[in-house]
Amino acid sequence: MDEVEEREKVEPKIFDKIGYDDIPGVVMTDTSAVSDFLKKTKVQNVLNWGRKNSLWFMVNAMGCCGVELLATGMAHYDTDRFGIIPRNSPRHADVLIISGYVTKKYLPALKRIWDQMPAPKWVICFGDCAISGGPFYESYSTHQNIDEVFPVDVFVPGCPPRCEALIQAFVELQKKIEAKKDKGTDY
Amino acid sequence: MDARSIIASLTDRFPEDIYDADVESDIRTVAKVKPENVVDVCRYLKDELSFGHLCCEFGIDYPDRNEIEVVYTIGSYEHPVVLNMKAVLPRDDPQIRSVVPVYWNANWYERETYELFGVEYIDHPNLKQLVLPEDMLGEWPLRKDYKGYPNKTAKNLV
């Protein structure tokens, strides 16, 4: 018992003496130095190639555009060939699709979904309502200019846009990721 | 019973509480009611005149007259008559007794009228906001002088 207590007292002192954070010539994996270093090399191209081909999106149907969102994930359009798979949990998803008007009451829940998604993550504004409020742009309960809240990469206009438009949006997002112009990753 | 006899029965039973009663057509009747006795009138309508269906309850804002009207649209399964009953309230302090003891489905109608117009229902079992977020309570967005509408020029207006 006494030995354990003594060791607990001693160990921090040893780490202080060695200098746990700054061993010369050694990069610790618990810092962001490794990923910061990789972002400047060609390895990032390979990472982005992998990311752009597995854009799993969050099934979060918020309005009538959500029906198109659901239809896109079904077998008819076969988005699996682009690596686009609908997921029902925000923990699995890479892309959040805002598919409808955002009311003041719903915005905290949407932010919570966004916070639960692991990085890197991207946002697509799908439909007129998500872009500007649509027919509800002057309502007392809608939140305008949603792109000030989320880092939106692609806007898809339409009321509602077709499923092909959503697939086009994913292709545009893939192009942005490949060109390192997306907002989801910190370059 | 037709519309004329229903209005006659109502005004005979409550001569002081019912005023401006009128028959608009064979199926449409209107009446105004004093806010103090709205529960008694509703109970009489439901028990004696078989007006068992409260279709709707909502509010109207009249800022120039400084009044808020609460409108009860009550229908019947026995006779094909709909009664539009209005209660006139002062705009600065709109208070009226809740009709939930008579018509149970008035519960959510009154909560919605409360959150949108600020009409305070006395003896309501659960008077709080229905669909609006809680921090919007007190803005009363459906009143005519509501200023909280967003800027008309949304940045991304398509």
Side-chain angles (χ1 to χ4, degrees), chain B residues 112-137:
Chain B
E112 190 169 22
T113 315
Y114 166 64
E115 71 180 3
L116 294 175
F117 288 95
V119 179
E120 191 178 333
Y121 288 92
I122 304 162
D123 291 344
H124 190 280
N126 185 21
L127 191 62
K128 59 178 185 180
Q129 79 283 353
L130 179 65
V131 281
L132 283 188
E134 197 174 355
D135 49 351
M136 277 187 77
L137 213 59

PDB file of all heavy atoms in Angstrom, chain B residues 112-137:
ATOM      1  N   GLU B 112     -52.297  27.148 -27.743  1.00  0.00           N
ATOM      2  CA  GLU B 112     -51.795  27.808 -28.947  1.00  0.00           C
ATOM      3  C   GLU B 112     -52.216  29.269 -28.973  1.00  0.00           C
ATOM      4  O   GLU B 112     -51.430  30.152 -29.333  1.00  0.00           O
ATOM      5  CB  GLU B 112     -52.316  27.082 -30.186  1.00  0.00           C
ATOM      6  CG  GLU B 112     -51.631  27.560 -31.447  1.00  0.00           C
ATOM      7  CD  GLU B 112     -51.937  26.683 -32.631  1.00  0.00           C
ATOM      8  OE1 GLU B 112     -52.967  25.989 -32.583  1.00  0.00           O
ATOM      9  OE2 GLU B 112     -51.159  26.706 -33.584  1.00  0.00           O
ATOM     10  N   THR B 113     -53.474  29.552 -28.593  1.00  0.00           N
ATOM     11  CA  THR B 113     -53.905  30.943 -28.545  1.00  0.00           C
ATOM     12  C   THR B 113     -53.104  31.715 -27.503  1.00  0.00           C
ATOM     13  O   THR B 113     -52.815  32.896 -27.678  1.00  0.00           O
ATOM     14  CB  THR B 113     -55.400  31.001 -28.210  1.00  0.00           C
ATOM     15  OG1 THR B 113     -56.090  30.046 -28.988  1.00  0.00           O
ATOM     16  CG2 THR B 113     -55.961  32.371 -28.502  1.00  0.00           C
ATOM     17  N   TYR B 114     -52.718  31.020 -26.435  1.00  0.00           N
ATOM     18  CA  TYR B 114     -51.903  31.679 -25.407  1.00  0.00           C
ATOM     19  C   TYR B 114     -50.535  32.046 -25.945  1.00  0.00           C
ATOM     20  O   TYR B 114     -50.067  33.172 -25.776  1.00  0.00           O
ATOM     21  CB  TYR B 114     -51.781  30.753 -24.202  1.00  0.00           C
ATOM     22  CG  TYR B 114     -50.727  31.149 -23.212  1.00  0.00           C
ATOM     23  CD1 TYR B 114     -50.819  32.343 -22.503  1.00  0.00           C
ATOM     24  CD2 TYR B 114     -49.628  30.334 -22.980  1.00  0.00           C
ATOM     25  CE1 TYR B 114     -49.847  32.700 -21.599  1.00  0.00           C
ATOM     26  CE2 TYR B 114     -48.662  30.690 -22.081  1.00  0.00           C
ATOM     27  CZ  TYR B 114     -48.770  31.870 -21.390  1.00  0.00           C
ATOM     28  OH  TYR B 114     -47.798  32.231 -20.506  1.00  0.00           O
ATOM     29  N   GLU B 115     -49.890  31.115 -26.671  1.00  0.00           N
ATOM     30  CA  GLU B 115     -48.526  31.406 -27.093  1.00  0.00           C
ATOM     31  C   GLU B 115     -48.488  32.386 -28.260  1.00  0.00           C
ATOM     32  O   GLU B 115     -47.503  33.076 -28.454  1.00  0.00           O
ATOM     33  CB  GLU B 115     -47.802  30.120 -27.482  1.00  0.00           C
ATOM     34  CG  GLU B 115     -48.297  29.521 -28.786  1.00  0.00           C
ATOM     35  CD  GLU B 115     -47.567  28.259 -29.162  1.00  0.00           C
ATOM     36  OE1 GLU B 115     -46.728  27.833 -28.382  1.00  0.00           O
ATOM     37  OE2 GLU B 115     -47.867  27.707 -30.223  1.00  0.00           O
ATOM     38  N   LEU B 116     -49.551  32.453 -29.062  1.00  0.00           N
ATOM     39  CA  LEU B 116     -49.530  33.330 -30.234  1.00  0.00           C
ATOM     40  C   LEU B 116     -50.144  34.694 -29.950  1.00  0.00           C
ATOM     41  O   LEU B 116     -49.770  35.673 -30.584  1.00  0.00           O
ATOM     42  CB  LEU B 116     -50.257  32.667 -31.402  1.00  0.00           C
ATOM     43  CG  LEU B 116     -49.589  31.405 -31.945  1.00  0.00           C
ATOM     44  CD1 LEU B 116     -50.444  30.774 -33.004  1.00  0.00           C
ATOM     45  CD2 LEU B 116     -48.230  31.711 -32.510  1.00  0.00           C
ATOM     46  N   PHE B 117     -51.108  34.771 -29.048  1.00  0.00           N
ATOM     47  CA  PHE B 117     -51.788  36.043 -28.801  1.00  0.00           C
ATOM     48  C   PHE B 117     -51.605  36.547 -27.371  1.00  0.00           C
ATOM     49  O   PHE B 117     -51.891  37.696 -27.097  1.00  0.00           O
ATOM     50  CB  PHE B 117     -53.291  35.900 -29.072  1.00  0.00           C
ATOM     51  CG  PHE B 117     -53.627  35.787 -30.520  1.00  0.00           C
ATOM     52  CD1 PHE B 117     -53.788  34.565 -31.104  1.00  0.00           C
ATOM     53  CD2 PHE B 117     -53.765  36.916 -31.300  1.00  0.00           C
ATOM     54  CE1 PHE B 117     -54.083  34.449 -32.444  1.00  0.00           C
ATOM     55  CE2 PHE B 117     -54.061  36.815 -32.635  1.00  0.00           C
ATOM     56  CZ  PHE B 117     -54.224  35.573 -33.215  1.00  0.00           C
ATOM     57  N   GLY B 118     -51.197  35.678 -26.472  1.00  0.00           N
ATOM     58  CA  GLY B 118     -51.042  36.108 -25.097  1.00  0.00           C
ATOM     59  C   GLY B 118     -52.333  36.140 -24.310  1.00  0.00           C
ATOM     60  O   GLY B 118     -52.404  36.816 -23.289  1.00  0.00           O
ATOM     61  N   VAL B 119     -53.348  35.417 -24.774  1.00  0.00           N
ATOM     62  CA  VAL B 119     -54.587  35.344 -24.011  1.00  0.00           C
ATOM     63  C   VAL B 119     -54.362  34.407 -22.833  1.00  0.00           C
ATOM     64  O   VAL B 119     -53.946  33.261 -23.011  1.00  0.00           O
ATOM     65  CB  VAL B 119     -55.747  34.825 -24.886  1.00  0.00           C
ATOM     66  CG1 VAL B 119     -57.015  34.739 -24.077  1.00  0.00           C
ATOM     67  CG2 VAL B 119     -55.945  35.730 -26.071  1.00  0.00           C
ATOM     68  N   GLU B 120     -54.619  34.896 -21.636  1.00  0.00           N
ATOM     69  CA  GLU B 120     -54.368  34.088 -20.447  1.00  0.00           C
ATOM     70  C   GLU B 120     -55.646  33.376 -20.034  1.00  0.00           C
ATOM     71  O   GLU B 120     -56.670  34.020 -19.795  1.00  0.00           O
ATOM     72  CB  GLU B 120     -53.866  34.976 -19.306  1.00  0.00           C
ATOM     73  CG  GLU B 120     -53.352  34.178 -18.156  1.00  0.00           C
ATOM     74  CD  GLU B 120     -52.801  35.067 -17.054  1.00  0.00           C
ATOM     75  OE1 GLU B 120     -52.355  36.196 -17.376  1.00  0.00           O
ATOM     76  OE2 GLU B 120     -52.833  34.650 -15.897  1.00  0.00           O
ATOM     77  N   TYR B 121     -55.593  32.068 -19.976  1.00  0.00           N
ATOM     78  CA  TYR B 121     -56.772  31.269 -19.650  1.00  0.00           C
ATOM     79  C   TYR B 121     -56.725  30.895 -18.178  1.00  0.00           C
ATOM     80  O   TYR B 121     -55.809  30.210 -17.724  1.00  0.00           O
ATOM     81  CB  TYR B 121     -56.823  30.018 -20.527  1.00  0.00           C
ATOM     82  CG  TYR B 121     -57.175  30.329 -21.954  1.00  0.00           C
ATOM     83  CD1 TYR B 121     -56.184  30.561 -22.886  1.00  0.00           C
ATOM     84  CD2 TYR B 121     -58.494  30.419 -22.354  1.00  0.00           C
ATOM     85  CE1 TYR B 121     -56.506  30.874 -24.192  1.00  0.00           C
ATOM     86  CE2 TYR B 121     -58.821  30.734 -23.653  1.00  0.00           C
ATOM     87  CZ  TYR B 121     -57.824  30.953 -24.563  1.00  0.00           C
ATOM     88  OH  TYR B 121     -58.138  31.262 -25.848  1.00  0.00           O
ATOM     89  N   ILE B 122     -57.733  31.344 -17.460  1.00  0.00           N
ATOM     90  CA  ILE B 122     -57.800  31.060 -16.028  1.00  0.00           C
ATOM     91  C   ILE B 122     -58.304  29.629 -15.841  1.00  0.00           C
ATOM     92  O   ILE B 122     -59.189  29.168 -16.564  1.00  0.00           O
ATOM     93  CB  ILE B 122     -58.731  32.080 -15.338  1.00  0.00           C
ATOM     94  CG1 ILE B 122     -58.236  33.495 -15.642  1.00  0.00           C
ATOM     95  CG2 ILE B 122     -58.783  31.861 -13.848  1.00  0.00           C
ATOM     96  CD1 ILE B 122     -59.264  34.551 -15.410  1.00  0.00           C
ATOM     97  N   ASP B 123     -57.736  28.920 -14.893  1.00  0.00           N
ATOM     98  CA  ASP B 123     -58.093  27.535 -14.547  1.00  0.00           C
ATOM     99  C   ASP B 123     -57.784  26.561 -15.675  1.00  0.00           C
ATOM    100  O   ASP B 123     -58.403  25.502 -15.762  1.00  0.00           O
ATOM    101  CB  ASP B 123     -59.579  27.408 -14.172  1.00  0.00           C
ATOM    102  CG  ASP B 123     -59.854  28.102 -12.865  1.00  0.00           C
ATOM    103  OD1 ASP B 123     -58.878  28.378 -12.156  1.00  0.00           O
ATOM    104  OD2 ASP B 123     -61.020  28.362 -12.567  1.00  0.00           O
ATOM    105  N   HIS B 124     -56.854  26.916 -16.554  1.00  0.00           N
ATOM    106  CA  HIS B 124     -56.425  25.938 -17.563  1.00  0.00           C
ATOM    107  C   HIS B 124     -55.526  24.897 -16.876  1.00  0.00           C
ATOM    108  O   HIS B 124     -54.696  25.253 -16.056  1.00  0.00           O
ATOM    109  CB  HIS B 124     -55.653  26.655 -18.671  1.00  0.00           C
ATOM    110  CG  HIS B 124     -55.369  25.796 -19.861  1.00  0.00           C
ATOM    111  ND1 HIS B 124     -54.327  24.893 -19.876  1.00  0.00           N
ATOM    112  CD2 HIS B 124     -55.976  25.674 -21.053  1.00  0.00           C
ATOM    113  CE1 HIS B 124     -54.319  24.269 -21.039  1.00  0.00           C
ATOM    114  NE2 HIS B 124     -55.309  24.721 -21.777  1.00  0.00           N
ATOM    115  N   PRO B 125     -55.686  23.597 -17.189  1.00  0.00           N
ATOM    116  CA  PRO B 125     -54.914  22.593 -16.448  1.00  0.00           C
ATOM    117  C   PRO B 125     -53.413  22.667 -16.697  1.00  0.00           C
ATOM    118  O   PRO B 125     -52.624  22.297 -15.818  1.00  0.00           O
ATOM    119  CB  PRO B 125     -55.482  21.261 -16.956  1.00  0.00           C
ATOM    120  CG  PRO B 125     -56.177  21.589 -18.217  1.00  0.00           C
ATOM    121  CD  PRO B 125     -56.684  22.970 -18.082  1.00  0.00           C
ATOM    122  N   ASN B 126     -52.979  23.109 -17.879  1.00  0.00           N
ATOM    123  CA  ASN B 126     -51.542  23.070 -18.196  1.00  0.00           C
ATOM    124  C   ASN B 126     -51.238  24.195 -19.163  1.00  0.00           C
ATOM    125  O   ASN B 126     -50.988  23.953 -20.343  1.00  0.00           O
ATOM    126  CB  ASN B 126     -51.183  21.704 -18.790  1.00  0.00           C
ATOM    127  CG  ASN B 126     -49.705  21.564 -19.010  1.00  0.00           C
ATOM    128  OD1 ASN B 126     -48.922  22.272 -18.394  1.00  0.00           O
ATOM    129  ND2 ASN B 126     -49.316  20.678 -19.908  1.00  0.00           N
ATOM    130  N   LEU B 127     -51.262  25.432 -18.681  1.00  0.00           N
ATOM    131  CA  LEU B 127     -51.114  26.563 -19.589  1.00  0.00           C
ATOM    132  C   LEU B 127     -49.633  26.858 -19.802  1.00  0.00           C
ATOM    133  O   LEU B 127     -48.976  27.482 -18.984  1.00  0.00           O
ATOM    134  CB  LEU B 127     -51.819  27.800 -19.026  1.00  0.00           C
ATOM    135  CG  LEU B 127     -51.948  28.952 -20.013  1.00  0.00           C
ATOM    136  CD1 LEU B 127     -52.783  28.552 -21.187  1.00  0.00           C
ATOM    137  CD2 LEU B 127     -52.544  30.164 -19.332  1.00  0.00           C
ATOM    138  N   LYS B 128     -49.107  26.346 -20.940  1.00  0.00           N
ATOM    139  CA  LYS B 128     -47.735  26.678 -21.335  1.00  0.00           C
ATOM    140  C   LYS B 128     -47.699  26.682 -22.858  1.00  0.00           C
ATOM    141  O   LYS B 128     -48.730  26.489 -23.502  1.00  0.00           O
ATOM    142  CB  LYS B 128     -46.748  25.664 -20.765  1.00  0.00           C
ATOM    143  CG  LYS B 128     -47.014  24.248 -21.211  1.00  0.00           C
ATOM    144  CD  LYS B 128     -45.986  23.302 -20.647  1.00  0.00           C
ATOM    145  CE  LYS B 128     -46.197  21.923 -21.215  1.00  0.00           C
ATOM    146  NZ  LYS B 128     -45.257  20.943 -20.725  1.00  0.00           N
ATOM    147  N   GLN B 129     -46.508  26.899 -23.437  1.00  0.00           N
ATOM    148  CA  GLN B 129     -46.434  27.004 -24.896  1.00  0.00           C
ATOM    149  C   GLN B 129     -46.675  25.646 -25.525  1.00  0.00           C
ATOM    150  O   GLN B 129     -46.360  24.606 -24.953  1.00  0.00           O
ATOM    151  CB  GLN B 129     -45.092  27.585 -25.301  1.00  0.00           C
ATOM    152  CG  GLN B 129     -43.937  26.621 -25.290  1.00  0.00           C
ATOM    153  CD  GLN B 129     -43.422  26.331 -23.907  1.00  0.00           C
ATOM    154  OE1 GLN B 129     -43.846  26.960 -22.962  1.00  0.00           O
ATOM    155  NE2 GLN B 129     -42.514  25.370 -23.801  1.00  0.00           N
ATOM    156  N   LEU B 130     -47.221  25.649 -26.752  1.00  0.00           N
ATOM    157  CA  LEU B 130     -47.521  24.376 -27.422  1.00  0.00           C
ATOM    158  C   LEU B 130     -46.422  23.989 -28.404  1.00  0.00           C
ATOM    159  O   LEU B 130     -45.813  22.942 -28.262  1.00  0.00           O
ATOM    160  CB  LEU B 130     -48.868  24.487 -28.137  1.00  0.00           C
ATOM    161  CG  LEU B 130     -49.329  23.263 -28.918  1.00  0.00           C
ATOM    162  CD1 LEU B 130     -49.582  22.110 -27.980  1.00  0.00           C
ATOM    163  CD2 LEU B 130     -50.584  23.566 -29.697  1.00  0.00           C
ATOM    164  N   VAL B 131     -46.159  24.830 -29.405  1.00  0.00           N
ATOM    165  CA  VAL B 131     -45.138  24.487 -30.398  1.00  0.00           C
ATOM    166  C   VAL B 131     -43.995  25.483 -30.433  1.00  0.00           C
ATOM    167  O   VAL B 131     -42.916  25.140 -30.894  1.00  0.00           O
ATOM    168  CB  VAL B 131     -45.731  24.358 -31.820  1.00  0.00           C
ATOM    169  CG1 VAL B 131     -46.412  23.040 -31.982  1.00  0.00           C
ATOM    170  CG2 VAL B 131     -46.645  25.476 -32.133  1.00  0.00           C
ATOM    171  N   LEU B 132     -44.195  26.688 -29.984  1.00  0.00           N
ATOM    172  CA  LEU B 132     -43.109  27.668 -30.048  1.00  0.00           C
ATOM    173  C   LEU B 132     -42.023  27.308 -29.039  1.00  0.00           C
ATOM    174  O   LEU B 132     -42.299  26.655 -28.036  1.00  0.00           O
ATOM    175  CB  LEU B 132     -43.643  29.062 -29.722  1.00  0.00           C
ATOM    176  CG  LEU B 132     -44.414  29.781 -30.807  1.00  0.00           C
ATOM    177  CD1 LEU B 132     -44.687  31.195 -30.365  1.00  0.00           C
ATOM    178  CD2 LEU B 132     -43.649  29.805 -32.096  1.00  0.00           C
ATOM    179  N   PRO B 133     -40.765  27.701 -29.309  1.00  0.00           N
ATOM    180  CA  PRO B 133     -39.754  27.524 -28.281  1.00  0.00           C
ATOM    181  C   PRO B 133     -40.073  28.383 -27.059  1.00  0.00           C
ATOM    182  O   PRO B 133     -40.744  29.409 -27.154  1.00  0.00           O
ATOM    183  CB  PRO B 133     -38.463  27.989 -28.964  1.00  0.00           C
ATOM    184  CG  PRO B 133     -38.890  28.775 -30.128  1.00  0.00           C
ATOM    185  CD  PRO B 133     -40.205  28.224 -30.549  1.00  0.00           C
ATOM    186  N   GLU B 134     -39.572  27.929 -25.919  1.00  0.00           N
ATOM    187  CA  GLU B 134     -40.010  28.546 -24.663  1.00  0.00           C
ATOM    188  C   GLU B 134     -39.559  29.999 -24.562  1.00  0.00           C
ATOM    189  O   GLU B 134     -40.253  30.828 -23.976  1.00  0.00           O
ATOM    190  CB  GLU B 134     -39.449  27.734 -23.498  1.00  0.00           C
ATOM    191  CG  GLU B 134     -40.141  28.006 -22.187  1.00  0.00           C
ATOM    192  CD  GLU B 134     -39.660  27.078 -21.097  1.00  0.00           C
ATOM    193  OE1 GLU B 134     -38.870  26.176 -21.402  1.00  0.00           O
ATOM    194  OE2 GLU B 134     -40.067  27.273 -19.948  1.00  0.00           O
ATOM    195  N   ASP B 135     -38.391  30.319 -25.158  1.00  0.00           N
ATOM    196  CA  ASP B 135     -37.898  31.687 -25.002  1.00  0.00           C
ATOM    197  C   ASP B 135     -38.633  32.671 -25.907  1.00  0.00           C
ATOM    198  O   ASP B 135     -38.393  33.862 -25.825  1.00  0.00           O
ATOM    199  CB  ASP B 135     -36.392  31.739 -25.269  1.00  0.00           C
ATOM    200  CG  ASP B 135     -36.015  31.044 -26.556  1.00  0.00           C
ATOM    201  OD1 ASP B 135     -36.900  30.391 -27.128  1.00  0.00           O
ATOM    202  OD2 ASP B 135     -34.858  31.157 -26.987  1.00  0.00           O
ATOM    203  N   MET B 136     -39.493  32.190 -26.808  1.00  0.00           N
ATOM    204  CA  MET B 136     -40.308  33.121 -27.606  1.00  0.00           C
ATOM    205  C   MET B 136     -41.584  33.509 -26.881  1.00  0.00           C
ATOM    206  O   MET B 136     -42.353  34.334 -27.380  1.00  0.00           O
ATOM    207  CB  MET B 136     -40.666  32.497 -28.946  1.00  0.00           C
ATOM    208  CG  MET B 136     -39.576  32.650 -29.990  1.00  0.00           C
ATOM    209  SD  MET B 136     -40.113  32.085 -31.580  1.00  0.00           S
ATOM    210  CE  MET B 136     -41.130  33.433 -32.117  1.00  0.00           C
ATOM    211  N   LEU B 137     -41.835  32.923 -25.718  1.00  0.00           N
ATOM    212  CA  LEU B 137     -43.050  33.248 -24.978  1.00  0.00           C
ATOM    213  C   LEU B 137     -42.974  34.692 -24.489  1.00  0.00           C
ATOM    214  O   LEU B 137     -41.958  35.125 -23.958  1.00  0.00           O
ATOM    215  CB  LEU B 137     -43.182  32.297 -23.792  1.00  0.00           C
ATOM    216  CG  LEU B 137     -44.588  31.918 -23.373  1.00  0.00           C
ATOM    217  CD1 LEU B 137     -45.309  31.259 -24.507  1.00  0.00           C
ATOM    218  CD2 LEU B 137     -44.548  31.018 -22.172  1.00  0.00           C
TER     219      LEU B 137
END
